[in-house]
Amino acid sequence: MNTITPNLLQVKSIRGVEVNRNSLLTQVADAESVVLFVGKPNKAMLAENSQFRCVVTEQVEDARKVIHQLQHVFKKMPSAIIYGFDSNYETTLTEWDAFFNSHQFLGSIPFFVYVDKGFDELKPLVARYNFIDDIITTDAWHMLNNKIAIVSKFKRMRTFPVYKSSSLRTRLYSGKFYSNLLKRTLDITLAAGGLIVLSPVLLVIAVMIRLESKGPVFYAAKRAGRNYRVFKFYKFRTMIPDADKQLDKIKHLNQYDDGQGNGPTFIKVSNDPRVTKLGSFLRNTSLDEIPQLLNVIKGDMSLVGNRPLPLYEATTLTTDQWVERFLAPAGITGLWQVSKRGKKEMSVQERIDLDINYAHNRSFRYDMWLMASTPFALVQKDNV
């Protein structure tokens, strides 16, 4: 094994190497977070992240020996395992599946598949192999520590008896097959039907947006949904084209700002100066949300759930106190929208409590009630 960069250790092969304290893994400090990468990583990318030390192996067998050495000699486990997708993925993932089945206590380690491109095409792997938590790209690298923190908490809840013994955990993680099946069936049916029925409205809105200001018709941004999975989120554009670049200029108008700068961060501005005249109408009538039906069909979101968060907000919610809001699927409408949408007096604590409440109590029947209540909350009084 040789050191490539200060944050990257590459294991060429450790077959036949005796597991002992003289190994070069001693270069990993006791307090350092270790991420195990299996395959051929983008070395420049890995070297840029100073939040963890990355140990790289090319084969699953070597990776297993690194895990064994970390566990039995250094008394620590990898914070996450990342497999670099390649043409041999069927054999490699089958080996990992067998490994986790024979070492179930290691099932709490977050496992990600890394790919340079073809993100959407690989999503079925997550459903096919239960141990895979997400597909990631270089875009997720700067927030990898936050993603690991959330996923590891969820997996510990599913893996260790101390969590399963709690009535709350049993309720959260017990099988909801039929409820989830009904929910997904309803999502696809209503979302597809809605896009067809509303297609004339979509066309009119698109033309009006282009006539009012230059720039794209749709706004697409990365959002964090269930289990901190990042996806591209669609809305009609309601702001000026360079609105994201002006975010720092209007943060002092944030209605959630407590003046201390501590804890979770949400940004919502009353009478946001970046919003166009048409955008204000679209927001107040919720017409800007219609393109999210495409996210529902793709499986990124559900009709009912917790709102997917911009990454700058999601990264402030990784502590045990807040993380459970990511247990619920991302949704177009939900408990927060029905209870408090558009109300200026809502606090950060209140909003997160509503999200966690839904995550704990969600069911198909509850979703139906929230959907029936949504029309009364569609038109908001305040421009937020």
Side-chain angles (χ1 to χ4, degrees):
M1 179 167 56
N2 59 304
T3 303
I4 305 300
T5 74
N7 295 313
L8 175 62
L9 297 179
Q10 185 164 13
V11 179
K12 293 296 186 184
S13 176
I14 59 173
R15 294 185 179 91
V17 176
E18 184 181 356
V19 175
N20 57 54
R21 280 274 177 183
N22 294 322
S23 166
L24 287 180
L25 280 178
T26 54
Q27 295 178 46
V28 178
D30 290 341
E32 278 188 311
S33 177
V34 175
V35 170
L36 178 59
F37 194 108
V38 184
K40 297 180 180 179
N42 181 327
K43 297 176 183 177
M45 175 187 66
L46 297 181
E48 289 175 358
N49 197 316
S50 60
Q51 297 176 314
F52 51 79
R53 179 69 67 92
C54 193
V55 175
V56 180
T57 71
E58 294 185 1
Q59 304 295 329
V60 176
E61 181 180 347
D62 291 331
R64 290 199 297 259
K65 291 190 176 183
V66 168
I67 293 174
H68 183 272
Q69 187 170 11
L70 286 171
Q71 179 187 2
H72 295 285
V73 178
F74 301 98
K75 309 302 180 184
K76 65 192 304 180
M77 296 300 298
S79 296
I81 300 171
I82 301 176
Y83 162 58
F85 184 80
D86 58 24
S87 59
N88 196 37
Y89 74 94
E90 289 279 5
T91 300
T92 302
L93 292 178
T94 300
E95 291 179 21
W96 277 115
D97 193 29
F99 176 68
F100 285 120
N101 284 334
S102 60
H103 299 81
Q104 293 186 7
F105 62 94
L106 299 178
S108 63
I109 301 176
F111 190 102
F112 305 116
V113 174
Y114 169 79
V115 63
D116 290 316
K117 57 184 179 179
F119 176 88
D120 289 332
E121 290 80 358
L122 295 183
K123 283 185 178 180
L125 289 178
V126 179
R128 183 176 175 185
Y129 296 96
N130 293 331
F131 61 89
I132 299 178
D133 296 296
D134 204 359
I135 310 296
I136 63 173
T137 65
T138 52
D139 293 337
W141 213 256
H142 71 283
M143 54 181 288
L144 186 59
N145 263 17
N146 301 93
K147 192 176 186 70
I148 290 172
I150 288 179
V151 172
S152 61
K153 178 177 174 63
F154 292 162
K155 297 191 82 168
R156 285 197 303 271
M157 289 178 179
R158 297 186 182 101
T159 303
F160 297 120
V162 65
Y163 287 100
K164 294 181 180 180
S165 63
S166 164
S167 60
L168 173 63
R169 302 307 175 197
T170 301
R171 180 157 49 88
L172 274 173
Y173 293 97
S174 59
K176 292 185 177 182
F177 176 78
Y178 293 109
S179 179
N180 291 334
L181 178 62
L182 288 172
K183 182 180 179 71
R184 183 60 184 152
T185 302
L186 186 67
D187 282 345
I188 295 175
T189 302
L190 293 185
L195 284 174
I196 294 172
V197 172
L198 296 173
S199 56
V201 178
L202 292 170
L203 180 60
V204 171
I205 293 175
V207 172
M208 293 176 66
I209 291 174
R210 289 306 299 268
L211 290 175
E212 183 185 39
S213 62
K214 295 181 179 180
V217 170
F218 298 102
Y219 173 74
K222 294 293 181 65
R223 295 289 175 95
R226 185 178 185 181
N227 285 10
Y228 217 72
R229 286 179 180 164
V230 178
F231 62 93
K232 189 172 289 187
F233 171 87
Y234 303 106
K235 293 180 68 174
F236 277 122
R237 180 173 61 83
T238 60
M239 294 184 176
I240 57 178
D242 62 344
D244 287 341
K245 297 179 181 179
Q246 298 187 25
L247 182 61
D248 289 337
K249 297 179 181 179
I250 54 91
K251 281 187 176 181
H252 66 284
L253 301 174
N254 185 15
Q255 73 178 64
Y256 289 119
D257 189 6
D258 60 5
Q260 298 179 2
N262 298 320
T265 298
F266 289 130
I267 295 179
K268 185 71 71 172
V269 176
S270 181
N271 297 311
D272 193 327
R274 302 172 299 164
V275 178
T276 64
K277 291 181 179 180
L278 176 61
S280 180
F281 170 76
L282 295 176
R283 285 181 164 214
N284 289 339
T285 56
S286 297
L287 291 173
D288 63 320
E289 310 278 359
I290 297 177
Q292 289 164 44
L293 294 174
L294 180 60
N295 286 120
V296 174
I297 293 176
K298 291 175 62 179
D300 299 324
M301 298 174 60
S302 173
L303 293 173
V304 181
N306 289 334
R307 289 298 289 173
L309 298 180
L311 302 188
Y312 60 81
E313 292 182 357
T315 54
T316 67
L317 294 171
T318 58
T319 64
D320 288 357
Q321 185 180 5
W322 312 114
V323 72
E324 289 186 357
R325 64 93 54 206
F326 290 105
L327 286 170
I332 296 178
T333 187
L335 183 58
W336 168 66
Q337 289 85 348
V338 169
S339 303
K340 292 286 184 177
R341 186 176 187 271
K343 296 184 179 180
K344 295 180 180 179
E345 70 275 7
M346 182 174 55
S347 66
V348 171
Q349 179 72 50
E350 193 171 14
R351 177 172 172 178
I352 298 177
D353 285 347
L354 287 170
D355 287 347
I356 294 175
N357 180 286
Y358 173 75
H360 288 180
N361 295 288
R362 64 186 182 88
S363 67
F364 182 72
R365 181 181 299 178
Y366 194 25
D367 284 359
M368 294 298 291
W369 176 80
L370 290 171
M371 289 179 64
S373 303
T374 295
F376 300 100
L378 283 178
V379 179
Q380 61 185 41
K381 298 177 181 179
D382 297 321
N383 292 319
V384 296

